[in-house]
Amino acid sequence: RQCDGIFGTPVEPLFNNEENGSNAEILQDWLINMAVMNSQIIKSKELPENIFAHGVWAQCVFLMCDRFELPHQTKFAALDIFDRFMTRHINDLYAHVQNSNSSKKKSDWACILDRVKNQAFLRILSCCQIASKLSSHYKVITVKRARKCLLEAGYSYSDESIVQSEMRVLKTLSYNMSGATCLDFIEILLEILVAIFSLPRHCYGESR
Amino acid sequence: MKASDSPGSYPKMPSPQQQQQLTAASTPHPLQQQAQVLHPLKQQQQPQVLQPSRQQQQPLPHQQHFQQHAHHQQPSPHHQQPQQSQSKCHASQQPQQHHHHHHHQQQQQQHQRAQKEVHERHYEFLAHVGSGAYGQVFKARDPTRENVVVAIKQIRIRRSGRSHETGMPMAAIREISLLKQLEKREHPNIVQLLDVHHQDISDRDICLSLVFEFIDQDLNTYLERCPPPGLGPDRIRVALYFTVLECLPNLINICTTLLLLRPGSFSFPPASVPGSGVALHVPLSQARARSALVVVNLWRRRDSRLGLRNRQTTSSALKKVGFLLAPIEFDPIRHSNDFQTAACLPARPPLASGDKVQCS
């Protein structure tokens, strides 16, 4: 029996746990559900472009989540939030420069991009902070911890700026925080795959 | 802040920041505006009259709230006649005559704010409905749509201070996230979240407003008015089950949902006051509702004792939904003792161990 986690709860990632495993019907429903959700995302206009969801950006988000010891689900949620936020944020800024009456739009834009670069670390932290509040209970990134982390990385922000940044992220996303992440899809696929090959018969009973 | 040190005195001259804003309004420089967007704190300070000084006794939260919307008035009349101001004040209230000069500038400032914050709407506040740890709830009318009454829950967010108080509250983030996921479904038993916005109300606080549909009758009165035999178990079961189960497909992260499923969500805080979590206005017969509450409470306590909250997988979470509903299905009073025992048991969570619920 797996009892290595805190108070006997198993460690993540957890697949086909005999005690908590879902039966075939639930898995099927679950899969169909995720498929429907996926097709809705594809149909909708807000198809994520994943510009910021890979490479060094993703690495930075994950490393920060590691630093705060956040679970996997939170990592991917943070990455999702960050990707959607940055895409929209930059689009907003670009539209703003486009619509302005300034004569030197190009240098304005360069200036804004510089600012975005400088703030990227803070934004990543805010995204991790929001994700941590969404999914876990006692490992929430508080403002104090956030400030400490920023200091370690060589940034000096006040509590106020950290709160403001968090609000800015939420507002830019119009408070749409949770989307389906790739982890959700991987989880269900693995659950089914492993179930097909290795699950003891009694869990599936007649349906097998 | 200067003005907050002497709350009674009204600033006659615009502050440098206000002047800067006024000049910026005529010739908007993109970078300046950008700076405003990125550092709203520096530029968007509300008139400081609103803010009570630290020495002064804090007015009641709802008074503060009305001040923030009717901020043309001096704070002193509010303190002298709080009742009157409460009944009269609303968001669109006109300022008093002798502040004409200042009013002009404020209007410009407000105008600028309105341009920047498109989402900000002005609701006409009607009454103070309730309050709790989360904040204040007001009944309000939406002036843009006729006959639409909404419930506005206001949560104060501190910008700085002791660390555990600052930042966006966890409960609020979860509630918004969950309701946003459910909003497409438009379930009749789940309160609709119409809008979320925040605004700066002073240099210390941000006010986060959640706008809900207003639900006319709260559950307590509903239960009290219900004739003696109460509602049949069938209705209870149907309402509860279907609400929860119908909504599951819309929820991506069921683990988060479970953190929100609390007794209050099912029944108790009156549904007209959107409690934290999903406010389901489910008709439960009184006795059953109470005992279900006990059971669910015990459940939560057991979990927090065992430190389970942080470690859930979707499948175990799904199972827990079943456990939450099961006690209501069966006889909760008889089994509340079992749950109590379960709550005290160490290490091994008994209810996660098998397929059978104890109260089968």
Side-chain angles (χ1 to χ4, degrees):
Chain A
R1 272 200 182 140
Q2 245 186 328
C3 276
D4 21 15
I6 185 171
F7 293 119
T9 48
V11 237
E12 283 183 88
L14 175 67
F15 294 111
N16 297 111
N17 180 272
E18 273 188 48
E19 290 151 5
N20 290 318
S22 316
N23 66 27
E25 264 174 61
I26 291 181
L27 284 179
Q28 196 181 348
D29 278 356
W30 192 356
L31 184 68
I32 291 170
N33 229 328
M34 294 300 272
V36 169
M37 205 179 278
N38 192 36
S39 62
Q40 277 170 356
I41 295 171
I42 290 170
K43 271 184 212 158
S44 73
K45 284 174 188 169
E46 294 217 356
L47 189 62
E49 294 168 57
N50 289 333
I51 300 171
F52 296 95
H54 60 81
V56 280
W57 296 104
Q59 196 181 3
C60 186
V61 173
F62 282 0
L63 283 174
M64 191 176 286
C65 289
D66 276 343
R67 190 205 171 278
F68 289 109
E69 296 172 353
L70 298 174
H72 294 293
Q73 201 139 30
T74 316
K75 278 185 196 176
F76 283 89
L79 189 59
D80 176 59
I81 292 172
F82 179 67
D83 180 43
R84 283 186 296 135
F85 165 74
M86 283 303 268
T87 312
R88 201 175 288 187
H89 187 52
I90 294 206
N91 277 333
D92 287 354
L93 291 175
Y94 190 73
H96 180 79
V97 173
Q98 281 283 313
N99 297 333
S100 73
N101 302 319
S102 167
S103 53
K104 41 186 175 81
K105 286 184 187 176
K106 223 168 192 177
S107 64
D108 287 352
W109 178 239
C111 204
I112 286 176
L113 277 187
D114 267 354
R115 200 199 303 271
V116 170
K117 272 182 213 160
N118 282 334
Q119 285 175 333
F121 200 78
L122 176 65
R123 300 302 188 200
I124 288 175
L125 186 84
S126 295
C127 293
C128 294
Q129 202 179 357
I130 293 166
S132 78
K133 285 179 186 177
L134 274 179
S135 56
S136 67
H137 232 275
Y138 53 86
K139 277 179 184 164
V140 160
I141 304 178
T142 57
V143 176
K144 196 178 163 193
R145 292 176 73 198
R147 200 183 52 211
K148 209 175 146 198
C149 171
L150 284 166
L151 268 178
E152 279 169 21
Y155 296 91
S156 165
Y157 286 101
S158 65
D159 286 0
E160 209 166 308
S161 340
I162 293 167
V163 174
Q164 281 293 329
S165 172
E166 191 185 6
M167 302 301 281
R168 163 68 46 195
V169 172
L170 288 173
K171 197 176 174 181
T172 309
L173 294 175
S174 18
Y175 294 88
N176 280 317
M177 286 163 275
S178 28
T181 64
C182 48
L183 188 70
D184 297 316
F185 291 97
I186 293 171
E187 196 184 39
I188 173 66
L189 289 176
L190 280 180
E191 184 93 21
I192 289 171
L193 272 180
V194 180
I196 289 170
F197 293 115
S198 69
L199 221 97
R201 269 163 208 283
H202 72 266
C203 292
Y204 277 75
E206 297 165 4
S207 60
R208 233 186 116 177
Chain B
M1 299 308 298
K2 278 178 214 161
S4 61
D5 292 334
S6 53
S9 68
Y10 207 87
K12 294 291 177 200
M13 292 297 293
S15 68
Q17 280 157 354
Q18 283 171 331
Q19 280 176 338
Q20 194 190 343
Q21 267 196 333
L22 289 176
T23 48
S26 51
T27 54
H29 189 269
L31 283 181
Q32 243 173 354
Q33 289 208 341
Q34 182 53 35
Q36 281 177 3
V37 174
L38 294 174
H39 303 288
L41 271 187
K42 305 278 189 293
Q43 311 287 333
Q44 293 186 7
Q45 279 170 3
Q46 288 270 344
Q48 282 117 29
V49 195
L50 290 182
Q51 194 201 354
S53 76
R54 277 150 220 248
Q55 292 83 26
Q56 193 191 15
Q57 198 192 357
Q58 286 232 346
L60 291 170
H62 69 268
Q63 287 173 336
Q64 265 184 341
H65 160 78
F66 283 113
Q67 280 174 22
Q68 128 208 349
H69 283 276
H71 51 63
H72 319 285
Q73 289 199 342
Q74 291 190 28
S76 43
H78 279 281
H79 296 298
Q80 285 158 8
Q81 306 159 327
Q83 287 311 313
Q84 196 192 344
S85 61
Q86 184 181 349
S87 58
K88 276 160 69 181
C89 287
H90 52 76
S92 57
Q93 186 165 8
Q94 289 304 307
Q96 292 167 7
Q97 280 301 313
H98 59 274
H99 296 313
H100 188 74
H101 172 68
H102 199 77
H103 166 222
H104 180 64
Q105 285 160 352
Q106 280 189 340
Q107 247 192 348
Q108 282 208 14
Q109 203 181 356
Q110 268 198 330
H111 181 64
Q112 233 191 332
R113 277 180 63 85
Q115 277 184 332
K116 264 181 287 187
E117 295 181 27
V118 190
H119 298 295
E120 195 179 324
R121 296 204 200 108
H122 288 282
Y123 293 95
E124 190 181 327
F125 286 82
L126 301 172
H128 180 244
V129 181
S131 58
Y134 48 84
Q136 307 281 322
V137 182
F138 298 92
K139 184 181 179 181
R141 188 183 291 137
D142 189 347
T144 55
R145 290 178 298 164
E146 252 184 55
N147 297 326
V148 174
V149 179
V150 293
I152 301 184
K153 183 194 220 175
Q154 298 204 319
I155 302 163
R156 295 171 79 83
I157 299 166
R158 307 199 58 163
R159 286 209 180 103
S160 49
R162 275 180 293 170
S163 60
H164 63 273
E165 289 174 342
T166 53
M168 185 87 173
M170 195 164 60
I173 284 200
R174 287 182 180 162
E175 181 174 2
I176 296 167
S177 155
L178 188 62
L179 287 171
K180 282 261 176 190
Q181 287 177 50
L182 290 172
E183 87 189 335
K184 281 179 213 137
R185 183 157 281 268
E186 292 184 1
H187 197 281
N189 282 358
I190 291 184
V191 71
Q192 281 273 309
L193 179 65
L194 303 172
D195 189 22
V196 186
H197 58 261
H198 66 264
Q199 63 194 73
D200 304 339
I201 51 170
S202 73
D203 64 333
R204 280 187 301 161
D205 298 299
I206 302 168
C207 178
L208 179 76
S209 307
L210 315 188
V211 184
F212 295 92
E213 63 175 326
F214 191 86
I215 299 161
D216 201 28
Q217 180 172 244
D218 70 37
L219 190 77
N220 253 343
T221 40
Y222 185 88
L223 289 175
E224 276 161 18
R225 284 178 195 165
C226 200
L231 292 157
D234 285 349
R235 271 199 74 184
I236 296 164
R237 199 185 310 149
V238 166
L240 242 180
Y241 274 35
F242 280 72
T243 309
V244 174
L245 295 181
E246 280 172 0
C247 291
L248 274 182
N250 283 55
L251 300 166
I252 296 153
N253 189 343
I254 298 167
C255 308
T256 311
T257 313
L258 272 173
L259 301 175
L260 282 160
L261 278 179
R262 61 190 74 180
S265 317
F266 282 107
S267 51
F268 272 159
S272 64
V273 182
S276 33
V278 202
L280 307 173
H281 36 119
V282 182
L284 287 173
S285 81
Q286 209 137 0
R288 270 184 177 261
R290 289 252 157 84
S291 42
L293 187 83
V294 171
V295 172
V296 178
N297 241 337
L298 287 169
W299 256 101
R300 290 171 57 78
R301 220 179 301 155
R302 187 201 68 136
D303 270 14
S304 61
R305 263 188 221 173
L306 298 182
L308 291 182
R309 276 188 188 162
N310 201 28
R311 289 161 174 271
Q312 283 181 346
T313 60
T314 313
S315 48
S316 66
L318 263 178
K319 197 162 261 185
K320 252 188 85 183
V321 173
F323 290 148
L324 275 173
L325 295 177
I328 300 158
E329 164 88 2
F330 304 104
D331 186 359
I333 304 167
R334 188 157 55 86
H335 291 283
S336 62
N337 282 332
D338 296 348
F339 280 87
Q340 189 129 38
T341 328
C344 302
L345 279 176
R348 183 133 184 80
L351 288 171
S353 63
D355 289 325
K356 281 195 173 179
V357 191
Q358 295 210 348
C359 46
S360 57

